Amino acid sequence: MAGVSLLPSERLFAAGANANAQVIRVGLVGCGGRGTGAAIQALNADPNVKITALGDVFEDRLEDSLNALRRVGKDRVEIGDKDKYLGFDAYLGVIDSGVDVVLLCTPPAFRPAHFEAAVQAGKHVFCEKPVAVDAPGVRSVLASAKLAKEKNLSVVSGFCFRYEDNKRELFGRVLGGDIGEITTVSTFRNGGDLWYLDRQPEWTDMTYQMRNWYYQNWLSGDFIVEMSVHSLDMMSWAVGDKLPVRATGTGGRQVRTDEKYGNIYDHFAVEFEYPDGVKAYHFTRQQPGTTFRNSVEVFGLEGKASIEVGSLYEIAGKKPWNYSGNISNMYQTQHDELFAAIRSGKPINDGEFMANSTMLAILARDVSYTGITTTWEDAIQSDYEMGPKIGEYDWNLKWENPEVAIPGVTKLHA
Amino acid sequence: MDFYRNVTATRRLRTVAAMVLVAWSPALVSCGVARPHNPKQHTAQTQATSEPYVQRVDGLPVGIEMVPVPGGTFRMGNTGEAAGKADEKPVVSVAVDPFWISKFEIPWDVYEAFVFEKADPTTIKEDAALDGVTRPTPPYLDMTLGMGKEGFPAISMTHYNAIQFCKWLYTRTGVFYRLPTEAEWEYAAKAGTETDYDFGTDASQLDEYAWYAANSGGKTQPIGKKKPNAWGIHDMLGNVAEWTFDQYDAGYYDSLATHGSVANPSKFPHELYPISVRGGSFRDSADQLRTAARAYSEPAWKAIDPQTPKSDWWFTMTPIIGLRLVRPHTPPSEEEIKAYFAFEPMPDY
């Protein structure tokens, strides 16, 4: 398929003596700390990667990113003034600039449109998590992922734990039957608070909302979608990426009550019901001064697998095991494997699981917001869109934050 | 060559490096530092009268136990029987002024109040007010890495983070605490001995004194569970490696040796890496726990950090580093204290 394409971005990185000498051009969309980190990992992944386009809505973030990239990548960062794309449509400029790969690292609300445009233009994609904030976004990503598969494009998702050696080995054993039939999964993601940027006089409402995107649920999806989704992705990994039947949840905000925190919650607790009576429970909070925890426990009929992220990777039971090797750099592995896949013509496509894991978090959020137990089917069919359409974004656009959700009162799918 | 004696350097921060050398100058003794309220804490001006004390921090349930270290001259470097490494040689004669050192590695019980503003029960002392204390960015992971919090050493902080902690503590207590210089650290660790370990040369005894690869189970352990050294300091070897203030330089002792004997040397950290860290950690083997063994921070400690620039505050997934505090017997001037705390983070790409 790719072999017949005339688009330069779909050109084959053919096998042969000089195959690895061919330059791979990379564009970054979303020049924050994470995007800049991803671009550096791309540079480190392959000596013939060049960064040739940058896009962001904020000039200061773009320039800071460029400064950092130049320090690390030196002359492999080929960015002149014409290669800097600013504004809500910057992604189109980056995608059309002749790059082979785009790194999609903006806040999540924009991801479905960015991903769609990148795949339609035939670009390989590194796609940060989460990939959407609502069901229409998830469906769009699933459709684009399918198109990417047809076009033999690689799609590597930012669900980085899937690229970490210790977790690959543990989940490989779990899926291989080492703890027997799985009955229950629990995940916890308990932490503290995050950054906040004070409003500046020259900012419009939209500037303020975009600078503090984390606290606007139509931009971030709320913290369970933005952060705790990693735990739900591991939960999904443990059950073989089967989809749940329905979910029940609760949540609210007790600490994050100040207006500056927009409309997101500070805690959620959710039960997922899978076929055959399998249950999975997720607890998450962002409340400073509380005990941190980032754990996964998978209970099987013949054992239990436990993860404390960063410190414990263990299976107890009939086939005990624990991981004592070094912690690999999963952020780098993601890019190593992406660029190796591009070089070898054997694409990776994380599209389906990255969309479904994101949807797990959207379902969890929505059953907690509403207090209404909801099936996966109903949730993923929802037409409720949380924010403006991509073409409507403008610095003078007034987009009122929805009220903080009240269980029993808030209706999302009306 | 600016590791000492560079008093005339125009760069403000360099004068801080020199501070370690000139702080004992009689001219500076009378310079005002906001005084602590416990008279026992500042009446002692000579080693004869210095005593252990507990530094209380209003609002915190735990204090920081400090033990006196007498001034003196010692032989810095590989004085033991082990082959050692090239960076431990040549042995140099070094004079060190008296100071107090924290009896234990600083535990999360204290450090956490600094890290999390909303959970900080302490209050600023008006007479010790400095320009705002900069706090760490909220860590997005559990920085204990599941190794334990109450009674366990604080870990994974950067050098900058550790210095800002000292600033926070100064604003709460009015007492100037700082990181030990590499010379002070080794002097306190040797505690008057010249053997491979302060307790002798037999590594098989290490289990009585230190948490290291052979007995730690791969984790940090509660502070103070092992025997102290001769000067009453616990966990100087093992558990967590400890920050010094100094830039690491493999040829440091060569440089010192060219000056014969030196007093209060300190190599100013102009670069983000490498910084000298001492004592070895729960992951290290016996050889790395010798009192003369040297180690250093490196960029790989921050490799697993998804953001660029990387965090000024934390080494994600590097739980081997912690800190211990020093209080110079004769406090530096207010100017020098301000300069010490004016340390700016160096961007890490």
Side-chain angles (χ1 to χ4, degrees):
Chain A
M1 189 62 200
V4 299
S5 169
L6 297 176
L7 290 169
S9 49
E10 282 180 270
R11 68 202 164 98
L12 273 180
F13 291 90
N18 295 322
N20 291 338
Q22 253 181 300
V23 168
I24 300 179
R25 292 181 296 271
V26 174
L28 170 61
V29 180
C31 299
R34 179 72 273 269
T36 308
I40 286 172
Q41 284 135 16
L43 286 165
N44 289 337
D46 185 301
N48 291 307
V49 160
K50 290 188 173 175
I51 307 292
T52 59
L54 298 179
D56 203 291
V57 294
F58 294 120
E59 188 168 11
D60 58 316
R61 301 312 299 260
L62 191 148
E63 291 297 333
D64 286 351
S65 176
L66 179 56
N67 181 33
L69 289 171
R70 281 198 171 127
R71 280 170 181 264
V72 177
K74 311 255 173 358
D75 58 354
R76 292 166 61 205
V77 179
E78 295 183 351
I79 303 285
D81 282 344
K82 68 173 177 40
D83 307 308
K84 301 174 186 175
Y85 298 91
L86 279 174
F88 288 106
D89 60 354
Y91 70 105
L92 294 172
V94 172
I95 289 168
D96 292 339
S97 69
V99 294
D100 305 299
V101 180
V102 290
L103 315 176
L104 301 180
C105 302
T106 65
F110 304 101
R111 198 93 67 245
H114 291 182
F115 184 52
E116 181 185 15
V119 170
Q120 292 208 333
K123 309 302 175 185
H124 302 284
V125 175
F126 171 74
C127 187
E128 251 308 337
K129 47 53 63 175
V131 300
V133 297
D134 51 29
V138 170
R139 294 198 303 272
S140 162
V141 169
L142 282 167
S144 300
K146 190 158 168 278
L147 182 61
K149 192 159 270 176
E150 290 164 13
K151 291 186 166 197
N152 283 325
L153 298 170
S154 276
V155 178
V156 164
S157 94
F159 283 113
C160 45
F161 292 137
R162 301 239 188 183
Y163 288 81
E164 194 176 21
D165 292 351
N166 45 21
K167 293 189 185 67
R168 282 175 162 178
E169 194 161 340
L170 182 139
F171 284 107
R173 285 164 187 268
V174 166
L175 294 171
D178 278 17
I179 61 169
E181 196 181 319
I182 291 160
T183 63
T184 318
V185 183
S186 85
T187 57
F188 285 77
R189 184 71 192 259
N190 291 343
D193 52 358
L194 293 101
W195 46 265
Y196 170 81
L197 300 174
D198 287 323
R199 185 158 186 160
Q200 303 299 312
E202 67 276 19
W203 287 0
T204 66
D205 288 351
M206 181 57 75
T207 317
Y208 173 79
Q209 289 168 321
M210 285 290 288
R211 289 280 185 189
N212 287 297
W213 60 271
Y214 201 89
Y215 303 109
Q216 331 307 327
N217 66 3
W218 44 279
L219 286 170
S220 69
D222 207 321
F223 85 95
I224 194 170
V225 175
E226 204 285 332
M227 179 86 81
S228 319
V229 68
H230 278 298
S231 301
L232 300 177
D233 180 57
M234 286 190 279
M235 173 186 89
S236 191
W237 196 0
V239 299
D241 289 306
K242 272 187 284 202
L243 300 176
V245 177
R246 69 182 147 258
T248 299
T250 188
R253 52 193 257 169
Q254 294 166 304
V255 177
R256 212 169 239 167
T257 53
D258 194 288
E259 194 182 357
K260 74 184 198 179
Y261 298 119
N263 61 357
I264 68 170
Y265 275 12
D266 63 14
H267 64 281
F268 292 89
V270 183
E271 177 205 56
F272 295 89
E273 297 174 68
Y274 282 90
D276 304 320
V278 174
K279 300 278 188 106
Y281 304 93
H282 176 63
F283 295 80
T284 186
R285 69 176 172 224
Q286 288 184 339
Q287 297 173 334
T290 60
T291 303
F292 277 26
R293 180 167 171 188
N294 190 356
S295 67
V296 181
E297 290 171 287
V298 189
F299 300 85
L301 291 176
E302 293 172 11
K304 177 190 162 197
S306 305
I307 294 175
E308 300 277 350
V309 170
S311 58
L312 175 77
Y313 305 88
E314 185 177 86
I315 289 174
K318 279 192 176 170
K319 294 182 179 171
W321 167 86
N322 76 71
Y323 188 89
S324 53
N326 286 329
I327 306 285
S328 65
N329 185 347
M330 57 190 175
Y331 304 109
Q332 189 57 49
T333 303
Q334 294 187 294
H335 288 267
D336 291 351
E337 295 189 5
L338 169 61
F339 286 94
I342 294 168
R343 291 272 184 219
S344 68
K346 293 174 186 162
I348 297 170
N349 192 317
D350 292 342
E352 189 173 348
F353 88 73
M354 75 186 187
N356 285 337
S357 290
T358 300
M359 189 63 217
L360 287 171
I362 291 168
L363 171 63
R365 178 197 66 205
D366 290 354
V367 296
S368 304
Y369 273 6
T370 59
I372 305 294
T373 297
T374 307
T375 65
W376 171 275
E377 267 322 300
D378 283 350
I380 199 166
Q381 295 307 328
S382 167
D383 288 325
Y384 178 75
E385 292 183 37
M386 296 191 76
K389 294 194 184 303
I390 188 123
E392 296 169 356
Y393 276 92
D394 180 279
W395 292 120
N396 293 313
L397 176 67
K398 293 273 187 195
W399 189 268
E400 290 298 323
N401 262 355
E403 294 289 316
V404 176
I406 308 289
V409 175
T410 298
K411 301 274 185 279
L412 291 177
H413 307 296
Chain B
M1 286 309 296
D2 56 345
F3 52 83
Y4 75 108
R5 211 185 258 179
N6 198 349
V7 186
T8 56
T10 51
R11 284 192 57 169
R12 179 174 57 160
L13 291 178
R14 287 196 183 186
T15 62
V16 185
M19 172 193 78
V20 179
L21 286 166
V22 301
W24 40 263
S25 153
L28 289 170
V29 170
S30 59
C31 287
V33 184
R35 293 297 190 185
H37 298 299
N38 177 353
K40 191 185 267 189
Q41 290 172 16
H42 60 88
T43 50
Q45 292 294 339
T46 70
Q47 72 184 71
T49 57
S50 76
E51 288 182 28
Y53 68 95
V54 178
Q55 176 63 60
R56 298 279 170 202
V57 186
D58 288 347
L60 277 190
V62 295
I64 303 170
E65 290 191 52
M66 302 297 296
V67 295
V69 172
T73 298
F74 81 115
R75 297 205 305 144
M76 188 173 182
N78 184 18
T79 49
E81 292 172 20
K85 301 201 178 79
D87 66 355
E88 303 163 19
K89 298 161 193 166
V91 170
V92 286
S93 178
V94 170
V96 179
D97 289 336
F99 56 92
W100 285 272
I101 193 165
S102 52
K103 188 173 179 179
F104 307 110
E105 291 159 344
I106 299 299
W108 280 116
D109 310 66
V110 175
Y111 211 83
E112 196 177 38
F114 160 62
V115 173
F116 299 106
E117 183 167 16
K118 286 180 186 159
D120 185 351
T122 67
T123 47
I124 295 177
K125 278 197 186 305
E126 277 179 27
D127 59 355
L130 294 169
D131 300 340
V133 168
T134 311
R135 308 236 189 198
T137 47
Y140 71 97
L141 287 174
D142 171 12
M143 296 313 295
T144 72
L145 290 181
M147 292 182 179
K149 196 152 78 176
E150 284 77 28
F152 284 74
I155 52 173
S156 302
M157 74 290 292
T158 59
H159 189 246
Y160 172 71
N161 186 328
I163 290 172
Q164 293 306 306
F165 167 73
C166 296
K167 179 177 179 181
W168 171 85
L169 189 59
Y170 176 72
T171 63
R172 266 70 188 163
T173 62
V175 183
F176 177 63
Y177 292 94
R178 57 166 171 76
L179 297 177
T181 65
E182 196 170 356
E184 287 167 339
W185 190 95
E186 185 169 318
Y187 178 61
K190 285 181 166 173
T193 69
E194 293 199 337
T195 44
D196 289 338
Y197 307 97
D198 55 282
F199 54 81
T201 53
D202 182 3
S204 71
Q205 288 181 47
L206 251 185
D207 184 51
E208 296 172 43
Y209 295 88
W211 297 106
Y212 67 119
N215 65 2
S216 69
K219 293 182 169 205
T220 60
Q221 297 292 331
I223 57 174
K225 299 290 185 197
K226 295 290 188 186
K227 288 183 187 171
N229 74 10
W231 289 349
I233 313 166
H234 289 265
D235 304 312
M236 201 73 185
L237 310 183
N239 211 11
V240 286
E242 296 166 15
W243 283 118
T244 73
F245 179 72
D246 296 5
Q247 194 95 66
Y248 170 84
D249 170 8
Y252 186 30
Y253 300 174
D254 274 321
S255 312
L256 292 177
T258 61
H259 297 275
S261 77
V262 288
N264 303 299
S266 177
K267 186 161 178 79
F268 190 83
H270 291 289
E271 305 291 335
L272 193 55
Y273 302 103
I275 303 288
S276 167
V277 304
R278 299 294 299 262
S281 81
F282 62 90
R283 282 184 187 163
D284 283 314
S285 59
D287 189 59
Q288 193 57 37
L289 266 74
R290 291 176 300 105
T291 54
R294 304 176 68 201
Y296 48 85
S297 64
E298 50 190 328
W301 287 11
K302 237 186 258 176
I304 306 179
D305 184 336
Q307 307 268 333
T308 297
K310 297 175 191 299
S311 173
D312 291 329
W313 296 97
W314 301 106
F315 292 107
T316 313
M317 304 286 187
T318 305
I320 57 170
I321 185 71
L323 81 158
R324 185 185 299 273
L325 298 177
V326 151
R327 177 185 174 190
H329 204 276
T330 305
S333 72
E334 205 157 354
E335 281 298 293
E336 287 163 328
I337 290 171
K338 278 185 180 164
Y340 189 87
F341 291 140
F343 216 93
E344 291 292 327
M346 291 178 252
D348 191 354
Y349 299 105

